[in-house]
Structures are given as structure tokens and as C-alpha cells.
Amino acid sequence: MENLKSAEQKIAPALNNPIASLNLKKKKKTSFYDTFLFRHIGLITFITVLILWELIYRSGIVNPVFLSSPVQIVKVGYQLTLSGVLVENLLFTLRNFITGFLLAAVSGVFIGLIMGWYKPIGKAFDPFLTAMLGTPRIVLLPLITLWVGVGFASKVLVVFLAGIFPIILNTMIGVKNLDPNLTRVAKAFGASPIQTFITVALPGAMPQIVSGLRVGIGQSLVGVIAAEMFVSTGGIGYFVAQSSANFNVDRVFVGIVVIIITGMLITQSVKWIESYLLKHRID
Amino acid sequence: MNKTSTKLQSENVYITYPLKNGGEVTAVEDFNLTVEEGEFVCIVGPSGCGKSTVLGAVAGFHDISYGSLYLDGKEITGAGRDRGVVFQDASLFPWRTALGNIIYGLEVAGVPKSERQKKGDELLELVGLNSFGSHYPNQLSGGMQQRVNVARALAIEPSLMLLDEPFGALDAQTREFMQLELLRIWKATKQTILFVTHDIAEAVYLSDHVVVMTARPGKLLEKVKIDLPRPRPLEIKRSKEFTEYEKYIWDLIVTEKQKNVV
């Protein structure tokens, strides 16, 4: 009797809703998209590539002068961290980068707001903006070293110039595309031009400003590394270039990995800043 | 006879727009209107009759070409905090909370923070949004957004409220309920209201006077006094008197339209 009852319970859903029960049967055969493999396919691929890489390295097919291996990178990276070389270079780079980028962010947003708000000014300086956006700013490096030498200032200036133009452009577009209804609200409530600027233009352009910062930060990072590779006596870019000149391929790879991780961390922090600044967009 | 003072006066107002080809189009022609203090006046008319243009001129958004507009005896020369504008599409700042939007005008006017906060809370209460102060506009329904819109205009304690089809985008039920709410708020605040709509029933339900305009160029056709008792429950819309007003205004507009077609 008990058995019968439980059997009845089992088929009850099928009797009540035959179509749903069919789907249920289908689902028993786990689809590929539900498997462990699919969910972690990115990580699995990554590890597989690392293993293949290690195997190729160990097989000796490639001359070890030209290639490092994951294990080698970790080993050398660990030693370099302990000796403080890596941290020292990284801090050197970050100092250049943060100084230059903060300057670029503040002045870029400011200039962009002005250029977007006062159309004649925007139009007047548009040719410069177009010229600079189409050019890899690193071409200015020889000129910069000529003017300010190879010290701190030159790297800060490169970072600044690399980052500022996309920030200006995006901020300007953001201000130009402001909802005219909202500027009318400010007018209706008797806001002065400066008040309108602060209460409507700045927050209204914020989504574009943030995307400008995101582009700018990437380009500033390129700028600082490139500058260090060419004209510097420190920094992670210098470390990579120097290691390459000394045929120390392990160190080159360590440097590259550090740059990759730094880049990823910076991108992630931009996402945090973004979600903070644009919190009204999230439901 | 009640002794009231004149709130808004429009004398021979013409509003023209320049055209791209160098000519100009007359949107509003010889518009004369007087709104007394505490009155609720609606402007109705076919779309494109210039009713929003009149409202915009009173708000100070655009200049008039001829004639004059007076608010409390002073000529209107531009936008100002003595008029509270409730916009057609709520036009709330998406980055400000409901409370932040309501106190916008006070903030711009330099009212101290504690006072702003107090006023904001009062208004949230008045428009029935007590627990929604910290919500962002995209978390509010269309009706709630318009409540914030109304509260924002009320916050600056304007001399005259200007509402430009504020309920046009709402669904029929919400719209009726908002009309009832607006009358309640109007009574509580003793405001003078100039309200633009194309919905005749809405105009009759809300107004002391309905101003009927003709299309292009917009002219005042007739000012109809609505003698319905207040407070007006929503059921009044089903009453005979109400439908008679409605039909009368409808006929005015249609007859005028046919004249133009012929």
C-alpha cells in the first residue's frame, strides 16, 4: 500500500501536466551548458594552455633563451618579490601612472565640460582634439624628453597626454548630449549658469565621463610602460626592457605578467568606481 | 462677490516663431486671459493650437513677440522661482533620489540643508510618497514620478503653478486618480494653477474655468466657467452637468475645426 502511494505521487505531476513532465524527462539528460566543463570553460582552457606551454618548454623544442615557462615565471617572480626588485619597480611605475592619470582625469573632465558647454570653444579646439586622438601619443616622447629630460616629469607628462584626450572627448560628447528637458528644469527653478553646470551638466555627462576615464586609463597605462621602456632608469617597463637586453627571458616574462595583472586590477577598480558613480542606474 | 486679486494677466499676447526659410509663423494670436488668485484654470484645444506655447511663455522659457504678461502685477521677462513648472514628461534628474529631486529648487535657491530636508519630508507626505524618498526615478512608476514632479514645483512655494499635460502619458486609471490627488493637493496648498491638457474631461473635472483655444494661430475661443460643486468626487464625471460641459466644449472645438477645413 505504501509503495502504491509513493508510486502514485511520482506519476502525479506527469498526469497533471504531461508537457512539463516531458520537459522534465529531457532535462535528465544533462545538457552541455549545465556541465562543470561549460561553467568553468574559461579557467579550464587557461590551465590547459599553461600545461601545454610547460610541456613544450620541458620538451626542449624551443631554445630556452627565447622562452620561459609558467613554473619558471612563478619561481623567478617569487625570488624577485622576495628581493624587493619587483615591488620597487612596480611602485615606481604606479607613482608615475597615478600622478599622471589623476592630472589627466581632473583636467580632462574640466576641459571636456567647458568644450561641451561653450560650443564655440569646443569647435575652436576640435582640430587639436581630432589630431591628438588619431595619433599614438607616444610619438611625443622624444619631444618631451627634450623638454623635461628623462626624470619623473617626463613619464608623468606621457601618462597625462596618453590619457587626457579620450577623457576630454567623451566628457564633451556627454555634455553635448545632455537631455534639454533637464537643462530646462534648471532654468525653470532659477539655477544660475554655474549651478546648471554643476547640478545638470556634470552629473548628466557622468556616464560618458566614466567611459572616457576607462579608455583614458588604458591608454595611460600603455603610455607609462612605453615611456619606461625607452627613457627610464626604473619602473616595470624599464625592468622588462632591461631584462630583454640582458637576454634574461624569465625576467621579461615576469615583468609582462606583472603588467598584465596590474592592468586587470586597474580595470576592475574602474568598474567599482563606475558602479559607485552611476549607482542610480542600477535597480 | 469674492474679493480676489489678479494672479496672471495676459494682454494681447502674440507669439511667433522664425522659420528656416526666413519667414515666421504665428503660434499664438491676441491671447487675453486673466487668472485670479487661487483659481484652477485649464487650457484645452486641439494639438498644435499653441496651448503649451502659452504656458511656456508664462514660464519664461520663450519670449512673446507682442503684448504683455503680468504675474502679480509684474511683467514676466524670463524664467523664475515665482512660477513652479510641472513638466510633461516628468523630467526628473535620474541621478537624484525622489527627495533629492523635490528639494532641487530649494538647493538652487540656497535654502539651508536642514530646512530643505524638512520641507522635502513634508512634501513627500503631501504627495503620498512617504516611504519613497530614497528611491531613484527609474524605480518609481509613471504616476509616482509625476507626484515627485508636482512636489518639486510646490517646494519653492511658487506664486503660480504651471502644469503642462502632466498626466498625458499615464494610463487611464492612474490619470483619474492623479486628477483627484491634484485637487486634494491644490486645496491643501491654496495654489493658483494653470493647467494645459488636450483631455476635455480632465479640464472640466479640474477647473474653475476652461479656456478653449483654436488651432493655428492659437486664439482664445471661449472661457467657460465650470459651475460644478467642490469637492468633486470622480463620480461627478458621470453626472449630467458634467457631460453637458464636456459636450459644449467638444462642440466648440469641432465647429471651429470644421470652419478651418472648409
Side-chain angles (χ1 to χ4, degrees), chain A residues 107-136:
Chain A
S107 37
V109 169
F110 183 73
I111 295 170
L113 286 172
I114 302 274
M115 283 179 70
W117 195 250
Y118 300 102
K119 302 237 157 67
I121 299 182
K123 231 176 168 173
F125 288 95
D126 195 53
F128 293 96
L129 198 61
T130 313
M132 276 296 122
L133 277 165
T135 314

PDB file of all heavy atoms in Angstrom, chain A residues 107-136:
ATOM      1  N   SER A 107      41.906  67.404 -15.192  1.00  0.00           N
ATOM      2  CA  SER A 107      41.900  68.459 -16.208  1.00  0.00           C
ATOM      3  C   SER A 107      41.103  68.029 -17.437  1.00  0.00           C
ATOM      4  O   SER A 107      40.466  68.863 -18.072  1.00  0.00           O
ATOM      5  CB  SER A 107      43.329  68.878 -16.581  1.00  0.00           C
ATOM      6  OG  SER A 107      44.174  67.775 -16.592  1.00  0.00           O
ATOM      7  N   GLY A 108      41.110  66.733 -17.758  1.00  0.00           N
ATOM      8  CA  GLY A 108      40.348  66.254 -18.916  1.00  0.00           C
ATOM      9  C   GLY A 108      38.858  66.474 -18.734  1.00  0.00           C
ATOM     10  O   GLY A 108      38.176  66.948 -19.645  1.00  0.00           O
ATOM     11  N   VAL A 109      38.352  66.141 -17.563  1.00  0.00           N
ATOM     12  CA  VAL A 109      36.926  66.337 -17.295  1.00  0.00           C
ATOM     13  C   VAL A 109      36.595  67.832 -17.335  1.00  0.00           C
ATOM     14  O   VAL A 109      35.614  68.249 -17.961  1.00  0.00           O
ATOM     15  CB  VAL A 109      36.526  65.729 -15.926  1.00  0.00           C
ATOM     16  CG1 VAL A 109      35.126  66.163 -15.527  1.00  0.00           C
ATOM     17  CG2 VAL A 109      36.597  64.205 -15.977  1.00  0.00           C
ATOM     18  N   PHE A 110      37.456  68.619 -16.726  1.00  0.00           N
ATOM     19  CA  PHE A 110      37.221  70.060 -16.693  1.00  0.00           C
ATOM     20  C   PHE A 110      37.193  70.647 -18.112  1.00  0.00           C
ATOM     21  O   PHE A 110      36.249  71.335 -18.499  1.00  0.00           O
ATOM     22  CB  PHE A 110      38.306  70.739 -15.842  1.00  0.00           C
ATOM     23  CG  PHE A 110      38.117  72.209 -15.685  1.00  0.00           C
ATOM     24  CD1 PHE A 110      37.109  72.701 -14.868  1.00  0.00           C
ATOM     25  CD2 PHE A 110      38.922  73.116 -16.373  1.00  0.00           C
ATOM     26  CE1 PHE A 110      36.912  74.069 -14.720  1.00  0.00           C
ATOM     27  CE2 PHE A 110      38.737  74.484 -16.243  1.00  0.00           C
ATOM     28  CZ  PHE A 110      37.728  74.954 -15.418  1.00  0.00           C
ATOM     29  N   ILE A 111      38.219  70.319 -18.887  1.00  0.00           N
ATOM     30  CA  ILE A 111      38.295  70.853 -20.260  1.00  0.00           C
ATOM     31  C   ILE A 111      37.115  70.337 -21.098  1.00  0.00           C
ATOM     32  O   ILE A 111      36.499  71.084 -21.854  1.00  0.00           O
ATOM     33  CB  ILE A 111      39.648  70.477 -20.912  1.00  0.00           C
ATOM     34  CG1 ILE A 111      40.793  71.156 -20.165  1.00  0.00           C
ATOM     35  CG2 ILE A 111      39.666  70.871 -22.389  1.00  0.00           C
ATOM     36  CD1 ILE A 111      42.177  70.657 -20.574  1.00  0.00           C
ATOM     37  N   GLY A 112      36.798  69.066 -20.927  1.00  0.00           N
ATOM     38  CA  GLY A 112      35.682  68.481 -21.678  1.00  0.00           C
ATOM     39  C   GLY A 112      34.366  69.153 -21.357  1.00  0.00           C
ATOM     40  O   GLY A 112      33.553  69.411 -22.258  1.00  0.00           O
ATOM     41  N   LEU A 113      34.145  69.457 -20.085  1.00  0.00           N
ATOM     42  CA  LEU A 113      32.903  70.133 -19.680  1.00  0.00           C
ATOM     43  C   LEU A 113      32.811  71.505 -20.344  1.00  0.00           C
ATOM     44  O   LEU A 113      31.788  71.882 -20.895  1.00  0.00           O
ATOM     45  CB  LEU A 113      32.853  70.296 -18.153  1.00  0.00           C
ATOM     46  CG  LEU A 113      32.567  69.042 -17.316  1.00  0.00           C
ATOM     47  CD1 LEU A 113      32.746  69.349 -15.837  1.00  0.00           C
ATOM     48  CD2 LEU A 113      31.165  68.528 -17.562  1.00  0.00           C
ATOM     49  N   ILE A 114      33.939  72.243 -20.302  1.00  0.00           N
ATOM     50  CA  ILE A 114      33.969  73.578 -20.905  1.00  0.00           C
ATOM     51  C   ILE A 114      33.721  73.478 -22.413  1.00  0.00           C
ATOM     52  O   ILE A 114      32.905  74.210 -22.978  1.00  0.00           O
ATOM     53  CB  ILE A 114      35.334  74.259 -20.655  1.00  0.00           C
ATOM     54  CG1 ILE A 114      35.622  74.348 -19.162  1.00  0.00           C
ATOM     55  CG2 ILE A 114      35.396  75.628 -21.346  1.00  0.00           C
ATOM     56  CD1 ILE A 114      35.067  75.529 -18.456  1.00  0.00           C
ATOM     57  N   MET A 115      34.419  72.529 -23.061  1.00  0.00           N
ATOM     58  CA  MET A 115      34.296  72.406 -24.515  1.00  0.00           C
ATOM     59  C   MET A 115      32.895  71.971 -24.935  1.00  0.00           C
ATOM     60  O   MET A 115      32.417  72.329 -26.001  1.00  0.00           O
ATOM     61  CB  MET A 115      35.346  71.431 -25.062  1.00  0.00           C
ATOM     62  CG  MET A 115      36.728  72.044 -25.147  1.00  0.00           C
ATOM     63  SD  MET A 115      37.977  70.892 -25.779  1.00  0.00           S
ATOM     64  CE  MET A 115      37.502  70.733 -27.491  1.00  0.00           C
ATOM     65  N   GLY A 116      32.262  71.172 -24.102  1.00  0.00           N
ATOM     66  CA  GLY A 116      30.910  70.731 -24.431  1.00  0.00           C
ATOM     67  C   GLY A 116      29.868  71.806 -24.153  1.00  0.00           C
ATOM     68  O   GLY A 116      28.878  71.935 -24.862  1.00  0.00           O
ATOM     69  N   TRP A 117      30.112  72.584 -23.113  1.00  0.00           N
ATOM     70  CA  TRP A 117      29.129  73.572 -22.665  1.00  0.00           C
ATOM     71  C   TRP A 117      29.160  74.817 -23.546  1.00  0.00           C
ATOM     72  O   TRP A 117      28.109  75.310 -23.949  1.00  0.00           O
ATOM     73  CB  TRP A 117      29.427  73.928 -21.204  1.00  0.00           C
ATOM     74  CG  TRP A 117      28.329  74.647 -20.510  1.00  0.00           C
ATOM     75  CD1 TRP A 117      28.333  75.951 -20.121  1.00  0.00           C
ATOM     76  CD2 TRP A 117      27.067  74.116 -20.096  1.00  0.00           C
ATOM     77  NE1 TRP A 117      27.156  76.259 -19.503  1.00  0.00           N
ATOM     78  CE2 TRP A 117      26.354  75.156 -19.473  1.00  0.00           C
ATOM     79  CE3 TRP A 117      26.465  72.858 -20.214  1.00  0.00           C
ATOM     80  CZ2 TRP A 117      25.078  74.991 -18.951  1.00  0.00           C
ATOM     81  CZ3 TRP A 117      25.194  72.681 -19.694  1.00  0.00           C
ATOM     82  CH2 TRP A 117      24.514  73.739 -19.072  1.00  0.00           C
ATOM     83  N   TYR A 118      30.383  75.321 -23.801  1.00  0.00           N
ATOM     84  CA  TYR A 118      30.522  76.507 -24.655  1.00  0.00           C
ATOM     85  C   TYR A 118      30.897  76.044 -26.058  1.00  0.00           C
ATOM     86  O   TYR A 118      32.057  75.787 -26.347  1.00  0.00           O
ATOM     87  CB  TYR A 118      31.564  77.453 -24.073  1.00  0.00           C
ATOM     88  CG  TYR A 118      31.203  77.938 -22.696  1.00  0.00           C
ATOM     89  CD1 TYR A 118      31.800  77.393 -21.561  1.00  0.00           C
ATOM     90  CD2 TYR A 118      30.213  78.910 -22.515  1.00  0.00           C
ATOM     91  CE1 TYR A 118      31.443  77.810 -20.287  1.00  0.00           C
ATOM     92  CE2 TYR A 118      29.855  79.339 -21.250  1.00  0.00           C
ATOM     93  CZ  TYR A 118      30.475  78.786 -20.152  1.00  0.00           C
ATOM     94  OH  TYR A 118      30.116  79.192 -18.893  1.00  0.00           O
ATOM     95  N   LYS A 119      29.886  75.948 -26.905  1.00  0.00           N
ATOM     96  CA  LYS A 119      30.073  75.367 -28.239  1.00  0.00           C
ATOM     97  C   LYS A 119      31.207  76.008 -29.041  1.00  0.00           C
ATOM     98  O   LYS A 119      31.980  75.289 -29.674  1.00  0.00           O
ATOM     99  CB  LYS A 119      28.752  75.428 -29.014  1.00  0.00           C
ATOM    100  CG  LYS A 119      27.633  74.689 -28.282  1.00  0.00           C
ATOM    101  CD  LYS A 119      27.003  73.604 -29.114  1.00  0.00           C
ATOM    102  CE  LYS A 119      26.337  72.560 -28.232  1.00  0.00           C
ATOM    103  NZ  LYS A 119      25.143  73.052 -27.490  1.00  0.00           N
ATOM    104  N   PRO A 120      31.343  77.380 -29.005  1.00  0.00           N
ATOM    105  CA  PRO A 120      32.431  77.973 -29.794  1.00  0.00           C
ATOM    106  C   PRO A 120      33.799  77.467 -29.345  1.00  0.00           C
ATOM    107  O   PRO A 120      34.661  77.179 -30.174  1.00  0.00           O
ATOM    108  CB  PRO A 120      32.298  79.477 -29.516  1.00  0.00           C
ATOM    109  CG  PRO A 120      30.906  79.666 -29.058  1.00  0.00           C
ATOM    110  CD  PRO A 120      30.516  78.404 -28.359  1.00  0.00           C
ATOM    111  N   ILE A 121      33.983  77.331 -28.027  1.00  0.00           N
ATOM    112  CA  ILE A 121      35.276  76.840 -27.528  1.00  0.00           C
ATOM    113  C   ILE A 121      35.503  75.411 -27.999  1.00  0.00           C
ATOM    114  O   ILE A 121      36.585  75.040 -28.455  1.00  0.00           O
ATOM    115  CB  ILE A 121      35.331  76.931 -25.979  1.00  0.00           C
ATOM    116  CG1 ILE A 121      35.186  78.393 -25.544  1.00  0.00           C
ATOM    117  CG2 ILE A 121      36.623  76.326 -25.453  1.00  0.00           C
ATOM    118  CD1 ILE A 121      35.263  78.599 -24.053  1.00  0.00           C
ATOM    119  N   GLY A 122      34.433  74.608 -27.919  1.00  0.00           N
ATOM    120  CA  GLY A 122      34.533  73.221 -28.368  1.00  0.00           C
ATOM    121  C   GLY A 122      34.932  73.145 -29.821  1.00  0.00           C
ATOM    122  O   GLY A 122      35.806  72.374 -30.218  1.00  0.00           O
ATOM    123  N   LYS A 123      34.300  73.992 -30.623  1.00  0.00           N
ATOM    124  CA  LYS A 123      34.573  73.989 -32.052  1.00  0.00           C
ATOM    125  C   LYS A 123      35.987  74.468 -32.339  1.00  0.00           C
ATOM    126  O   LYS A 123      36.677  73.936 -33.210  1.00  0.00           O
ATOM    127  CB  LYS A 123      33.555  74.897 -32.763  1.00  0.00           C
ATOM    128  CG  LYS A 123      32.899  74.190 -33.919  1.00  0.00           C
ATOM    129  CD  LYS A 123      31.844  75.033 -34.557  1.00  0.00           C
ATOM    130  CE  LYS A 123      31.468  74.359 -35.878  1.00  0.00           C
ATOM    131  NZ  LYS A 123      30.356  74.968 -36.529  1.00  0.00           N
ATOM    132  N   ALA A 124      36.414  75.484 -31.579  1.00  0.00           N
ATOM    133  CA  ALA A 124      37.728  76.070 -31.812  1.00  0.00           C
ATOM    134  C   ALA A 124      38.848  75.056 -31.581  1.00  0.00           C
ATOM    135  O   ALA A 124      39.813  75.002 -32.337  1.00  0.00           O
ATOM    136  CB  ALA A 124      37.921  77.288 -30.904  1.00  0.00           C
ATOM    137  N   PHE A 125      38.683  74.231 -30.543  1.00  0.00           N
ATOM    138  CA  PHE A 125      39.776  73.326 -30.200  1.00  0.00           C
ATOM    139  C   PHE A 125      39.599  71.919 -30.770  1.00  0.00           C
ATOM    140  O   PHE A 125      40.414  71.040 -30.537  1.00  0.00           O
ATOM    141  CB  PHE A 125      39.956  73.269 -28.675  1.00  0.00           C
ATOM    142  CG  PHE A 125      40.541  74.525 -28.130  1.00  0.00           C
ATOM    143  CD1 PHE A 125      39.728  75.536 -27.621  1.00  0.00           C
ATOM    144  CD2 PHE A 125      41.914  74.724 -28.155  1.00  0.00           C
ATOM    145  CE1 PHE A 125      40.271  76.714 -27.140  1.00  0.00           C
ATOM    146  CE2 PHE A 125      42.468  75.903 -27.673  1.00  0.00           C
ATOM    147  CZ  PHE A 125      41.641  76.902 -27.167  1.00  0.00           C
ATOM    148  N   ASP A 126      38.508  71.758 -31.521  1.00  0.00           N
ATOM    149  CA  ASP A 126      38.221  70.439 -32.080  1.00  0.00           C
ATOM    150  C   ASP A 126      39.352  69.887 -32.963  1.00  0.00           C
ATOM    151  O   ASP A 126      39.684  68.712 -32.866  1.00  0.00           O
ATOM    152  CB  ASP A 126      36.893  70.477 -32.847  1.00  0.00           C
ATOM    153  CG  ASP A 126      36.393  69.091 -33.128  1.00  0.00           C
ATOM    154  OD1 ASP A 126      36.288  68.321 -32.159  1.00  0.00           O
ATOM    155  OD2 ASP A 126      36.165  68.753 -34.306  1.00  0.00           O
ATOM    156  N   PRO A 127      39.984  70.735 -33.831  1.00  0.00           N
ATOM    157  CA  PRO A 127      41.064  70.192 -34.668  1.00  0.00           C
ATOM    158  C   PRO A 127      42.197  69.572 -33.850  1.00  0.00           C
ATOM    159  O   PRO A 127      42.717  68.515 -34.216  1.00  0.00           O
ATOM    160  CB  PRO A 127      41.572  71.423 -35.432  1.00  0.00           C
ATOM    161  CG  PRO A 127      40.437  72.373 -35.433  1.00  0.00           C
ATOM    162  CD  PRO A 127      39.688  72.130 -34.153  1.00  0.00           C
ATOM    163  N   PHE A 128      42.537  70.215 -32.723  1.00  0.00           N
ATOM    164  CA  PHE A 128      43.610  69.675 -31.877  1.00  0.00           C
ATOM    165  C   PHE A 128      43.219  68.321 -31.303  1.00  0.00           C
ATOM    166  O   PHE A 128      44.003  67.381 -31.269  1.00  0.00           O
ATOM    167  CB  PHE A 128      43.909  70.637 -30.720  1.00  0.00           C
ATOM    168  CG  PHE A 128      44.497  71.933 -31.159  1.00  0.00           C
ATOM    169  CD1 PHE A 128      43.699  73.043 -31.342  1.00  0.00           C
ATOM    170  CD2 PHE A 128      45.861  72.035 -31.419  1.00  0.00           C
ATOM    171  CE1 PHE A 128      44.239  74.238 -31.766  1.00  0.00           C
ATOM    172  CE2 PHE A 128      46.414  73.227 -31.833  1.00  0.00           C
ATOM    173  CZ  PHE A 128      45.600  74.341 -32.016  1.00  0.00           C
ATOM    174  N   LEU A 129      41.965  68.268 -30.887  1.00  0.00           N
ATOM    175  CA  LEU A 129      41.466  67.045 -30.280  1.00  0.00           C
ATOM    176  C   LEU A 129      41.495  65.911 -31.300  1.00  0.00           C
ATOM    177  O   LEU A 129      41.970  64.809 -31.019  1.00  0.00           O
ATOM    178  CB  LEU A 129      40.026  67.299 -29.792  1.00  0.00           C
ATOM    179  CG  LEU A 129      39.467  66.335 -28.780  1.00  0.00           C
ATOM    180  CD1 LEU A 129      40.299  66.358 -27.521  1.00  0.00           C
ATOM    181  CD2 LEU A 129      38.022  66.695 -28.458  1.00  0.00           C
ATOM    182  N   THR A 130      41.007  66.215 -32.509  1.00  0.00           N
ATOM    183  CA  THR A 130      40.975  65.206 -33.568  1.00  0.00           C
ATOM    184  C   THR A 130      42.390  64.731 -33.889  1.00  0.00           C
ATOM    185  O   THR A 130      42.645  63.533 -34.020  1.00  0.00           O
ATOM    186  CB  THR A 130      40.323  65.794 -34.833  1.00  0.00           C
ATOM    187  OG1 THR A 130      39.133  66.465 -34.451  1.00  0.00           O
ATOM    188  CG2 THR A 130      40.004  64.714 -35.840  1.00  0.00           C
ATOM    189  N   ALA A 131      43.314  65.698 -34.005  1.00  0.00           N
ATOM    190  CA  ALA A 131      44.692  65.347 -34.339  1.00  0.00           C
ATOM    191  C   ALA A 131      45.303  64.451 -33.273  1.00  0.00           C
ATOM    192  O   ALA A 131      45.945  63.441 -33.566  1.00  0.00           O
ATOM    193  CB  ALA A 131      45.525  66.620 -34.496  1.00  0.00           C
ATOM    194  N   MET A 132      45.058  64.804 -32.004  1.00  0.00           N
ATOM    195  CA  MET A 132      45.668  64.062 -30.904  1.00  0.00           C
ATOM    196  C   MET A 132      45.041  62.689 -30.699  1.00  0.00           C
ATOM    197  O   MET A 132      45.721  61.738 -30.335  1.00  0.00           O
ATOM    198  CB  MET A 132      45.546  64.887 -29.610  1.00  0.00           C
ATOM    199  CG  MET A 132      46.644  65.908 -29.469  1.00  0.00           C
ATOM    200  SD  MET A 132      48.242  65.096 -29.327  1.00  0.00           S
ATOM    201  CE  MET A 132      49.135  65.787 -30.667  1.00  0.00           C
ATOM    202  N   LEU A 133      43.742  62.596 -30.970  1.00  0.00           N
ATOM    203  CA  LEU A 133      43.075  61.308 -30.768  1.00  0.00           C
ATOM    204  C   LEU A 133      43.506  60.300 -31.821  1.00  0.00           C
ATOM    205  O   LEU A 133      43.541  59.100 -31.572  1.00  0.00           O
ATOM    206  CB  LEU A 133      41.561  61.486 -30.814  1.00  0.00           C
ATOM    207  CG  LEU A 133      40.949  61.942 -29.502  1.00  0.00           C
ATOM    208  CD1 LEU A 133      39.538  62.442 -29.720  1.00  0.00           C
ATOM    209  CD2 LEU A 133      40.934  60.788 -28.514  1.00  0.00           C
ATOM    210  N   GLY A 134      43.862  60.803 -33.013  1.00  0.00           N
ATOM    211  CA  GLY A 134      44.237  59.898 -34.090  1.00  0.00           C
ATOM    212  C   GLY A 134      45.687  59.491 -34.043  1.00  0.00           C
ATOM    213  O   GLY A 134      46.148  58.693 -34.849  1.00  0.00           O
ATOM    214  N   THR A 135      46.432  60.061 -33.082  1.00  0.00           N
ATOM    215  CA  THR A 135      47.868  59.822 -33.046  1.00  0.00           C
ATOM    216  C   THR A 135      48.250  59.013 -31.812  1.00  0.00           C
ATOM    217  O   THR A 135      47.739  59.292 -30.740  1.00  0.00           O
ATOM    218  CB  THR A 135      48.615  61.179 -32.951  1.00  0.00           C
ATOM    219  OG1 THR A 135      48.043  62.058 -33.899  1.00  0.00           O
ATOM    220  CG2 THR A 135      50.090  61.024 -33.194  1.00  0.00           C
ATOM    221  N   PRO A 136      49.140  58.035 -31.964  1.00  0.00           N
ATOM    222  CA  PRO A 136      49.670  57.404 -30.741  1.00  0.00           C
ATOM    223  C   PRO A 136      50.526  58.450 -30.020  1.00  0.00           C
ATOM    224  O   PRO A 136      51.501  58.932 -30.586  1.00  0.00           O
ATOM    225  CB  PRO A 136      50.510  56.240 -31.247  1.00  0.00           C
ATOM    226  CG  PRO A 136      50.528  56.322 -32.716  1.00  0.00           C
ATOM    227  CD  PRO A 136      49.707  57.476 -33.177  1.00  0.00           C
TER     228      PRO A 136
END
